[in-house]
Amino acid sequence: MLKQRILTAFVLLIVFGAALYLPTPIPFMALTLLLIGAAGWEWARLAGRQGWKALGSGVYCAALALLLWWWVSSGWYESSNQGDGALILGIFIVIWFGYGALFLYIGLLLGWYFWMGHWPDNSYKELLLWCFASLYWISGGGMLLSRGVAQRKRLTNSDLFVGYGALVVAWLALVQAYTHGINFLLSTLALVWAADIAAYFVGRALGGKLTGGRKLAPTISPGKSWEGAVGGFIGVLLTGAIWIWVDRAYALPPGLYTIFWQRGPVWFVGALALLTAMSVVGDLVESLVKRSAGVKDSSRLLPGHGGVLDRIDALLPTLPLALLLVTIGQELK
């Protein structure tokens, strides 16, 4: 098992490392889009779809991601500055997240109007998307986890579309992070990796010893402890400090941590705390879905690692939230 994990990680590192440093973003986009399609396939299988239905779901998810990327990156609607982008985004939300999410989106628009003094025009389309995705994860993820496994049955058709939407938005956020620079992208990914690694080792060493045996989510993921979660956050802070030092020492384009620090220590600590917490939420939501489906891994596509969803679950809420916090921090600076 260990040899498989190392070999798989090595191959992925070589392939995606090469794609990152090519002069064109197309290989990176294509490879990550392939992963999102695979994750869509896994999500459909967790809902009981098999064969061509599951495969079609993966293709469908990848095609939706391309469509959303084209909508965000193209300029066909920029001739109008009356907020048609916000309307199109609202239609997307109703279709893929359901009517309940529409009320959240309307609340977001009203909050925007009272805070900014005007309705969002097309120049704010991406910020609106990151706002909605982050609010949806914070509210929906917390509500889902509070109900636990006992009240969670196999995924419904509605859940399928929500999952597709989460995958698509995360892929778009990944691509947008790439356009901010490789250092920014790697620093964002490193946050999730640091939180996961630090939580694992701290949890093994101290899990339950400081909280009287209390677990973070005993019915969903019995191995996770509060000590591990706090250790993950400390690991993120240490990673951030090192990353900022490297950025300054080698005059690199600012990474995620440097951008947060430029906003001030309070913003730095608060933003990293929220991102670390949401990485845990993403992990727990996928664990909840797998327990409901009665499986240990989302698939066996990555030998030694399980499935694609098992590797990217913490990134689904973290990527759009990171872009949201960076944008807000720059606006408030």
Side-chain angles (χ1 to χ4, degrees):
M1 178 66 73
L2 180 59
K3 290 183 178 179
Q4 283 186 329
R5 289 179 68 89
I6 295 175
L7 181 59
T8 301
F10 179 75
V11 171
L12 291 175
L13 180 64
I14 295 297
V15 172
F16 283 93
L20 270 178
Y21 288 94
L22 289 174
T24 171
I26 294 178
F28 176 77
M29 292 177 61
L31 283 171
T32 52
L33 188 65
L34 180 63
L35 287 182
I36 288 300
W41 170 75
E42 292 174 349
W43 186 254
R45 291 176 74 247
L46 290 174
R49 295 189 177 185
Q50 301 294 331
W52 287 104
K53 289 184 177 180
L55 183 61
S57 296
V59 174
Y60 177 72
C61 190
L64 178 62
L66 274 179
L67 179 63
L68 186 61
W69 171 78
W70 174 78
W71 173 72
V72 168
S73 60
S74 67
W76 65 272
Y77 52 83
E78 297 293 354
S79 59
S80 171
N81 202 36
Q82 302 302 316
D84 53 330
L87 176 61
I88 295 174
L89 179 58
I91 295 173
F92 167 82
I93 288 171
V94 170
I95 294 175
W96 305 115
F97 291 91
Y99 287 102
L102 180 60
F103 293 103
L104 179 63
Y105 184 62
I106 292 174
L108 172 61
L109 292 178
L110 291 174
W112 183 291
Y113 179 80
F114 286 110
W115 180 267
M116 302 291 290
H118 61 82
W119 298 109
D121 57 43
N122 290 333
S123 63
Y124 293 101
K125 56 189 180 298
E126 291 178 34
L127 180 57
L128 270 179
L129 183 58
W130 309 144
C131 278
F132 170 78
S134 299
L135 289 174
Y136 193 86
W137 266 107
I138 292 172
S139 58
M143 185 182 303
L144 193 63
L145 295 177
S146 67
R147 294 176 178 175
V149 178
Q151 298 186 32
R152 188 71 218 167
K153 299 179 181 179
R154 185 177 287 274
L155 295 177
T156 64
N157 287 332
S158 177
D159 295 327
L160 271 177
F161 285 109
V162 171
Y164 296 152
L167 289 169
V168 166
V169 173
W171 178 78
L172 182 61
L174 181 69
V175 172
Q176 293 302 102
Y178 176 80
T179 63
H180 281 69
I182 294 176
N183 188 42
F184 179 86
L185 172 62
L186 291 179
S187 62
T188 305
L189 298 178
L191 183 148
V192 173
W193 300 334
D196 187 46
I197 294 171
Y200 174 77
F201 284 106
V202 174
R204 288 196 63 179
L206 300 175
K209 295 180 180 179
L210 303 179
T211 57
R214 292 183 60 188
K215 296 294 184 179
L216 184 63
T219 62
I220 299 174
S221 185
K224 286 184 169 55
S225 64
W226 285 101
E227 291 87 348
V230 174
F233 175 53
I234 295 174
V236 168
L237 290 177
L238 292 175
T239 301
I242 295 171
W243 210 288
I244 291 171
W245 179 84
V246 172
D247 282 354
R248 292 178 176 177
Y250 295 93
L252 297 176
L256 179 72
Y257 306 102
T258 299
I259 293 174
F260 284 162
W261 185 256
Q262 290 171 347
R263 182 67 183 88
V266 175
W267 187 267
F268 175 80
V269 174
L272 292 185
L274 182 56
L275 286 169
T276 303
M278 291 313 298
S279 73
V280 175
V281 169
D283 189 305
L284 288 176
V285 166
E286 200 234 355
S287 296
L288 173 62
V289 172
K290 288 190 298 183
R291 281 191 172 273
S292 301
V295 298
K296 180 181 179 182
D297 299 319
S298 58
S299 76
R300 297 181 181 178
L301 284 179
L302 303 177
H305 292 268
V308 175
L309 277 174
D310 298 322
R311 297 299 93 201
I312 68 170
D313 49 10
L315 290 170
L316 297 182
T318 305
L319 285 169
L321 179 59
L323 290 176
L324 172 64
L325 293 173
V326 165
T327 305
I328 293 177
Q330 291 174 339
E331 291 289 334
L332 296 177
K333 186 177 179 180

